[in-house]
Amino acid sequence: MDERALAADFARRALRLFLPPLTCLTALFAPPASATTPSVLSDELAGRCRAWAADPHNPWALAHGMVVDGRAFRAKDGRLAADVVMSDFLREKAARDFSFEAFTSDGTPVEPHPALQTKTLLAAGIPLAQRFTTPFGPVTPRDLAEHVKRGFEMEQVASPESAWRLDVLSLSSRPGDTFRDSSGRTVSVDVVMDTALTALEAAQVELTTAMKAGRPQVPKQGQGIYSHPCGGLHYFQAVAGWARHPSVRAKWRERLAVQRDVLLYRLDSEARQYETAWATAPEHREAVLAQMLKFHGHLLETLGRFRDDTGWRPTPLQRQTVERARRYLENTVRRMDATGALSAPASVALRNRQLALDLVGDTCHAARGEALWSQSVSSPRLTPPASPSPRR
């Protein structure tokens, strides 16, 4: 759920203790021991996601099922996941002011990151005007987006927890749009997103400098972008997604290209460190595997969304990086299955509930990431975002 969770802390300590040698990643580059193909991997991960995320009592898991199947994803009781989330977990703070709690009374996550559920509904392709039946009467995603806007503060933009708020603004707005916050101030969405791009650049400046200097890696020590949940990849998605609009692409073109290149640079920089931790800290292998699944899956998802949002067409060298990320992901899944360290979430939860939650969410993101780059027609596909922007 969060890269700063307990299991991740173990992995980060291992990465700090064991800095990798500047050698090739033989184990990661080696072909998988099995004959599994990427399209089979996509279907396998999607199947696990659908089975593990369908609990109608766990709205956070349901949101991750929608990462794979969009608005078509159903809970195991047969209801559409979006209907379950809206009817069973939405709360009315005041008259016609709706929001989600962070956690239920028993600690089940609902919206541990602000605006996560609203962002999920919009990204799943649900129209802003669609009505959901709730205990408080009909409620639309537009109502939820308006709640996010009323609670918005410019000081939040650079926060590691702002990714989902920014995505809500992006998915529900066009360039030139404004809204009023709770104090009555007029807020420009363009200014918000320009500020967010500057914040992304600042968070990734150490990586940018290392990339331009030709350094092979930047150690992960909780600095900059690494202070964000999931390594800041949701933040990158939220910011870059605004460039689905042609005017934004034209204005941001050079700056966004640098951030894309940093994203590609991060693959081998981080893979070196995971591989070294795997080899030198066997007592932390379960945590390291969990972080490898999180990173490789989220990275592929982020690159795929960047491609689809901006029209990016990778060069042959960039495509090689993408394919390398897919091999890293497959090797990670193979290791998980071979060691049995990360089995079904229900059994993992008996010893580490947070790790079990991470396993569900990160499997779904990995399924989505692999599907975005797989040529298999059987791979899961999301419906496009319900963005009001015109087609390119």
Side-chain angles (χ1 to χ4, degrees), residues 201 204-215 218 258 262 265:
E201 291 170 331
Q204 300 211 118
V205 67
E206 185 176 357
L207 286 156
T208 305
T209 301
M211 176 187 71
K212 291 180 177 179
R215 288 163 47 197
V218 173
V258 172
V262 170
Y265 167 78

Side-chain angles (χ1 to χ4, degrees), residues 1-9 60 103 107 109 112-113 290-291 294 345 348-362:
M1 183 165 61
D2 189 327
E3 190 170 70
R4 295 162 295 171
L6 180 61
D9 288 340
W60 179 87
F103 296 88
H113 304 296
Q291 286 303 296
K294 181 187 294 292
V348 174
L350 296 176
R351 64 182 187 277
N352 190 326
R353 187 185 187 195
Q354 180 61 60
L355 184 60
L357 287 169
D358 285 347
L359 183 57
V360 174
D362 295 335

Side-chain angles (χ1 to χ4, degrees), residues 127-144:
L128 286 165
Q130 180 169 325
R131 293 188 174 192
F132 288 90
T133 300
T134 77
F136 327 107
V139 179
T140 68
R142 179 177 283 111
D143 295 326
L144 302 183

Side-chain angles (χ1 to χ4, degrees), residues 205-278:
V205 67
E206 185 176 357
L207 286 156
T208 305
T209 301
M211 176 187 71
K212 291 180 177 179
R215 288 163 47 197
Q217 68 190 44
V218 173
K220 292 181 61 177
Q221 297 177 331
Q223 79 279 27
I225 200 69
Y226 295 126
S227 69
H228 288 235
C230 300
L233 293 166
H234 289 292
Y235 195 94
F236 187 105
Q237 291 180 23
V239 175
W242 187 236
R244 72 176 60 87
H245 302 284
S247 62
V248 177
R249 286 200 302 282
K251 181 172 64 172
W252 285 5
R253 189 176 308 278
E254 293 182 4
R255 295 171 67 189
L256 205 55
V258 172
Q259 296 310 302
R260 176 206 63 212
D261 290 346
V262 170
L263 197 62
L264 293 165
Y265 167 78
R266 284 180 63 176
L267 174 64
D268 292 329
S269 171
E270 296 182 39
R272 285 184 174 89
Q273 297 172 72
Y274 290 131
E275 184 66 11
T276 296
W278 167 268

Side-chain angles (χ1 to χ4, degrees), residues 86 90 96-100 118 121-122 127-132 134 136-150 168 172:
M86 292 291 282
L90 187 66
R96 303 304 296 172
D97 186 11
F98 308 104
S99 64
F100 295 97
T118 303
L121 296 173
L122 296 179
L128 286 165
Q130 180 169 325
R131 293 188 174 192
F132 288 90
T134 77
F136 327 107
V139 179
T140 68
R142 179 177 283 111
D143 295 326
L144 302 183
E146 290 303 313
H147 169 80
V148 172
K149 293 173 182 177
R150 282 193 298 274
V168 169
S172 63

Side-chain angles (χ1 to χ4, degrees), residues 122-377:
L122 296 179
I126 296 175
L128 286 165
Q130 180 169 325
R131 293 188 174 192
F132 288 90
T133 300
T134 77
F136 327 107
V139 179
T140 68
R142 179 177 283 111
D143 295 326
L144 302 183
E146 290 303 313
H147 169 80
V148 172
K149 293 173 182 177
R150 282 193 298 274
F152 180 82
E153 299 175 3
M154 280 298 295
E155 293 77 11
Q156 298 170 340
V157 172
S159 165
E161 291 290 339
S162 67
W164 297 267
R165 292 190 188 99
L166 292 172
D167 235 346
V168 169
L169 295 183
S170 173
L171 290 167
S172 63
S173 308
R174 288 182 177 179
D177 283 358
T178 61
F179 62 90
R180 291 189 181 277
D181 63 18
S182 58
S183 68
R185 292 178 300 180
T186 298
V187 179
S188 164
V189 179
D190 288 318
V191 171
V192 171
M193 300 309 295
D194 285 342
T195 303
L197 176 58
T198 299
L200 177 64
E201 291 170 331
Q204 300 211 118
V205 67
E206 185 176 357
L207 286 156
T208 305
T209 301
M211 176 187 71
K212 291 180 177 179
R215 288 163 47 197
Q217 68 190 44
V218 173
K220 292 181 61 177
Q221 297 177 331
Q223 79 279 27
I225 200 69
Y226 295 126
S227 69
H228 288 235
C230 300
L233 293 166
H234 289 292
Y235 195 94
F236 187 105
Q237 291 180 23
V239 175
W242 187 236
R244 72 176 60 87
H245 302 284
S247 62
V248 177
R249 286 200 302 282
K251 181 172 64 172
W252 285 5
R253 189 176 308 278
E254 293 182 4
R255 295 171 67 189
L256 205 55
V258 172
Q259 296 310 302
R260 176 206 63 212
D261 290 346
V262 170
L263 197 62
L264 293 165
Y265 167 78
R266 284 180 63 176
L267 174 64
D268 292 329
S269 171
E270 296 182 39
R272 285 184 174 89
Q273 297 172 72
Y274 290 131
E275 184 66 11
T276 296
W278 167 268
T280 59
E283 70 276 20
H284 295 310
R285 280 186 173 177
E286 184 177 80
V288 172
L289 279 173
Q291 286 303 296
M292 290 167 72
L293 177 68
K294 181 187 294 292
F295 173 63
H296 296 136
H298 277 78
L299 182 70
L300 283 167
E301 179 187 49
T302 304
L303 288 168
R305 181 171 167 183
F306 181 85
R307 177 199 62 199
D308 294 346
D309 282 342
T310 69
W312 170 53
R313 293 296 176 261
T315 66
L317 187 59
Q318 290 168 340
R319 182 71 197 208
Q320 288 178 22
T321 303
V322 172
E323 292 305 313
R324 195 157 62 251
R326 295 175 71 189
R327 293 199 299 274
Y328 290 174
L329 175 62
E330 183 166 5
N331 274 314
T332 298
V333 173
R334 175 168 56 82
R335 284 173 171 175
M336 290 167 56
D337 291 341
T339 63
L342 295 176
S343 50
S347 62
V348 174
L350 296 176
R351 64 182 187 277
N352 190 326
R353 187 185 187 195
Q354 180 61 60
L355 184 60
L357 287 169
D358 285 347
L359 183 57
V360 174
D362 295 335
T363 296
C364 293
H365 284 295
R368 174 62 173 152
E370 171 62 17
L372 284 168
W373 293 100
S374 173
Q375 299 304 308
S376 170
V377 296

